[in-house]
Amino acid sequence: MNKKYIISIDHGTTGSRVFCFDEKGQVISSSYREFTQHFPRPGWVEHDPEEIWAGVKFLIQDAINKGDLSPHNAIAIGITNQRETVVIWDKQTGKPIYNAIVWQCRRTADICNDLKNQGYENLVKNKTGLVIDAYFSGTKIKWILDHVEGARELAKNGRLSVGTMDSWLLYKLTGEHKTDYTNASRTMIYNIKDKKWDEELLNILNIPKNILPEVQPSRSNFGKTKNIQVLPDGIPVFALIGDQQAALFGQLCVHPGEAKNTYGTGCFLLFHTGDEFILSNSGLLTTLACNKDGNVAYCLEGAVFIAGAVIQWLRDYMKFFANAKESEDLIHDLKDDDEVVFVPAFVGLGAPHWDMKARGAIFGLTRDTTPARITRAALKSIAFQTYDLVQAMEKDTGKKLPFLRVDGGATSNHYLMQFQADILNRRVERPKNIDTTAAGSAYLAGIHAGVWKDAEELTEILRDRTVFEPKMSEDIRQKELKYWHKAIERVKNWVE
Ligand code: ADP
């Protein structure tokens, strides 16, 4: 009951989770709740910001109760969030003027095509590190202003505030209107070189500057709780950070060249580049992250579209096994190698190959190719795609990855992790605490509160890791890579 703790709010795409962390950086308690996904039209995705806030309030109380903690002993709050999703609210009423438009929503694809046709791609890339895509917040903000009746008038009268979900939750907790560098860097209207909202891009998208939040370092003083019932007034919010950057910090990857990969439905690989703003030659994104003190730094970001999803496909469509964990049992007895290669280009190929006309294929089939062999090839494909991203990042930065830190659901697969280490020829490290996203925001808030000095002090706490050392011979590694890249070449341009 007297224990002091840090609250970490981890607001994801399908649900929110609230954690209480102790001063040793360990989880005391947590609570999870899903919220409703709204699909008003094909390709459109929305969330109800009021439902999300009500959920977060409930979760704060529930996590405190579960940990037998006192609301008065909360040291600070950190928030990490699904990125790019935006909401606009009326300052006078405190109510959103439209649902939050989610990162997955494709409604602004036409606006993006127009921007590309007007030749803005390089301008956007050089200023924001991003490619023009409906994924990012800028065109979503424009859409709300253009389509919600009276919105532009309210903006003119200084009544509107816009923000990503960190800003919305901060507003409900404290009444402040702020965001952090990492979330701002995903909006497509924030200049990550000059670190300011970009006037030229705001003009192009017709977004008035007066509706935007103030941008601060991910760990800083964002405000204090006020009138929220579940916590006393005056608990400071000391961290806001986008979820992938939070995982990078939670994994304590804070030096140039260090990287983390999250293995979920897809993979998210973030590669730290320190103070260097590096534009990729392989179509990777440049974005903002944190250094060891929690101050602003740069990283490269790349995604694998189909990672754990290939295992879901084998489970649900091929019926090879009943759950993802069984994929490992199934391949357990395979002793010999084979030439089966599975390229899961179900939605085309992302970085560094970039071919939207590619489609999936399985190569090297023989009479004795069993579901087990196809499953093994599918698992390998997750590691090969990660290898290709790492190669691209090393080429772009001239830095060599010292090790790869991993998290996400599919990292429970021992075979996959060992094969990843083998094919990268680098150590793979999996932390015991797999809630790295929530840990990232808790650590940042704790550093700002003076609980820890910096990420290096925290490295002591996170020593508990499972390490996979590379063991494959160089001959076999080269052969594996040769077959993979041969298969990649064959799937390119498959559909007209
Ligand atoms: P997300 O956050 O994207 O929903 P998770 O981190 O929860 O993803 O991970 C779930 C994904 O990991 C699923 O695609 C699933 O197929 C895959 N997965 C889970 N366990 C295993 C396993 N033991 N082996 C291989 N893949 C797995």
Side-chain angles (χ1 to χ4, degrees):
M1 201 67 185
N2 293 326
K3 210 169 182 167
K4 295 222 179 276
Y5 60 96
I6 295 162
I7 296 173
S8 177
I9 301 170
D10 180 358
H11 166 62
T13 306
T14 53
S16 304
R17 201 183 289 273
V18 169
F19 291 79
C20 297
F21 279 80
D22 67 18
E23 289 175 279
K24 295 197 176 93
Q26 305 299 323
V27 175
I28 307 171
S29 58
S30 72
S31 183
Y32 176 75
R33 188 185 249 190
E34 283 191 7
F35 48 82
T36 319
Q37 307 290 316
H38 298 272
F39 306 108
R41 289 194 201 175
W44 291 28
V45 191
E46 296 178 1
H47 293 157
D48 174 359
E50 297 283 15
E51 181 191 358
I52 287 170
W53 166 238
V56 165
K57 256 198 334 189
F58 163 83
L59 293 170
I60 292 174
Q61 189 155 41
D62 197 44
I64 290 174
N65 290 344
K66 277 187 184 159
D68 194 22
L69 301 161
S70 159
H72 294 275
N73 287 336
I75 302 169
I77 301 170
I79 303 174
T80 177
N81 57 294
Q82 51 160 326
R83 303 173 305 171
E84 297 100 12
T85 300
V86 280
V87 52
I88 301 185
W89 64 94
D90 181 340
K91 287 186 214 183
Q92 209 157 306
T93 62
K95 301 270 174 240
I97 62 163
Y98 191 79
N99 269 345
I101 301 188
V102 180
W103 58 272
Q104 295 157 325
C105 186
R106 304 304 301 171
R107 82 183 65 192
T108 59
D110 287 345
I111 304 179
C112 292
N113 285 337
D114 283 351
L115 293 173
K116 285 186 202 165
N117 291 338
Q118 290 171 64
Y120 286 130
E121 264 170 306
N122 278 337
L123 183 88
V124 168
K125 186 164 186 199
N126 288 327
K127 284 170 180 272
T128 68
L130 306 175
V131 294
I132 296 177
D133 196 278
Y135 186 51
F136 304 109
S137 325
T139 56
K140 299 181 198 291
I141 299 172
K142 176 179 169 53
W143 190 94
I144 298 176
L145 292 172
D146 287 345
H147 290 83
V148 174
E149 215 186 308
R152 292 221 171 257
E153 193 58 28
L154 285 173
K156 215 176 271 165
N157 298 333
R159 282 214 5 214
L160 294 189
S161 294
V162 65
T164 35
M165 297 313 283
D166 53 312
S167 290
W168 168 247
L169 292 174
L170 178 77
Y171 173 69
K172 298 309 279 184
L173 284 163
T174 68
E176 301 284 345
H177 183 214
K178 295 176 176 177
T179 189
D180 84 305
Y181 286 125
T182 65
N183 276 295
S185 74
R186 313 297 298 183
T187 57
M188 223 178 81
I189 46 175
Y190 192 73
N191 188 315
I192 64 170
K193 230 189 264 169
D194 301 344
K195 312 229 174 50
K196 58 180 194 199
W197 296 114
D198 192 274
E199 306 274 355
E200 191 178 1
L201 294 175
L202 291 175
N203 277 337
I204 291 169
L205 287 173
N206 194 14
I207 296 174
K209 201 171 167 192
N210 70 342
I211 69 171
L212 298 167
E214 188 186 327
V215 186
Q216 295 188 177
S218 304
R219 80 158 175 95
S220 52
N221 196 350
F222 288 97
K224 289 184 173 150
T225 50
K226 205 166 139 199
N227 294 332
I228 62 161
Q229 290 113 38
V230 292
L231 286 171
D233 283 2
I235 310 282
V237 178
F238 277 165
L240 302 185
I241 183 165
D243 54 9
Q244 294 306 322
Q245 286 91 338
L248 189 70
F249 194 82
Q251 288 272 25
L252 303 172
C253 293
V254 291
H255 302 109
E258 294 178 353
K260 71 92 200 172
N261 195 20
T262 302
Y263 297 74
T265 311
C267 285
F268 274 103
L269 185 72
L270 267 65
F271 189 101
H272 212 281
T273 62
D275 294 333
E276 268 188 282
F277 173 78
I278 297 174
L279 284 177
S280 167
N281 291 318
S282 318
L284 300 166
L285 305 177
T286 308
T287 200
L288 295 176
C290 290
N291 68 11
K292 76 178 172 62
D293 306 311
N295 289 319
V296 66
Y298 291 97
C299 71
L300 286 178
E301 175 171 326
V304 169
F305 301 148
I306 302 290
V310 68
I311 300 302
Q312 287 168 353
W313 183 79
L314 292 178
R315 180 193 67 190
D316 300 341
Y317 288 83
M318 299 298 111
K319 312 278 182 206
F320 282 3
F321 34 80
N323 62 61
K325 199 194 158 305
E326 284 172 30
S327 64
E328 191 156 9
D329 306 335
L330 183 65
I331 64 169
H332 195 260
D333 294 331
L334 285 178
K335 294 287 175 250
D336 58 326
D337 277 342
D338 55 39
E339 279 85 39
V340 181
V341 178
F342 192 151
V343 184
F346 298 161
V347 291
L349 289 169
H353 308 293
W354 290 116
D355 186 342
M356 291 305 132
K357 292 180 179 168
R359 288 296 177 268
I362 304 172
F363 296 90
L365 301 177
T366 56
R367 280 285 293 267
D368 64 349
T369 303
T370 54
R373 290 183 186 277
I374 292 174
T375 302
R376 182 169 67 180
L379 288 167
K380 284 181 179 180
S381 77
I382 302 173
F384 284 131
Q385 294 179 89
T386 300
Y387 169 90
D388 285 344
L389 274 184
V390 168
Q391 283 283 102
M393 289 174 172
E394 289 188 333
K395 215 162 102 199
D396 282 332
T397 61
K399 299 248 168 358
K400 196 167 147 57
L401 181 84
F403 48 72
L404 183 68
R405 298 222 166 113
V406 300
D407 49 46
T411 59
S412 62
N413 191 307
H414 191 280
Y415 172 83
L416 170 61
M417 292 299 102
Q418 184 57 50
F419 188 76
Q420 185 70 82
D422 286 341
I423 216 68
L424 280 173
N425 200 19
R426 237 59 63 84
R427 199 165 79 234
V428 166
E429 300 185 347
R430 186 179 65 200
K432 282 270 149 55
N433 170 16
I434 51 161
D435 297 309
T436 50
T437 307
S441 76
Y443 294 161
L444 283 166
I447 290 173
H448 201 71
V451 177
W452 305 290
K453 185 170 163 284
D454 58 19
E456 272 158 15
E457 184 183 333
L458 279 156
T459 304
E460 297 300 314
I461 293 168
L462 275 193
R463 275 195 182 280
D464 213 2
R465 295 195 174 101
T466 307
V467 174
F468 299 86
E469 295 285 354
K471 309 199 267 228
M472 189 179 271
S473 78
E474 192 54 21
D475 281 358
I476 296 184
R477 195 170 87 90
Q478 290 306 334
K479 180 175 163 238
E480 291 277 0
L481 287 169
K482 186 176 97 189
Y483 276 96
W484 166 254
H485 288 126
K486 208 162 137 181
I488 286 283
E489 287 312 311
R490 303 238 164 131
V491 302
K492 282 189 178 167
N493 271 313
W494 184 259
V495 291
E496 294 302 320

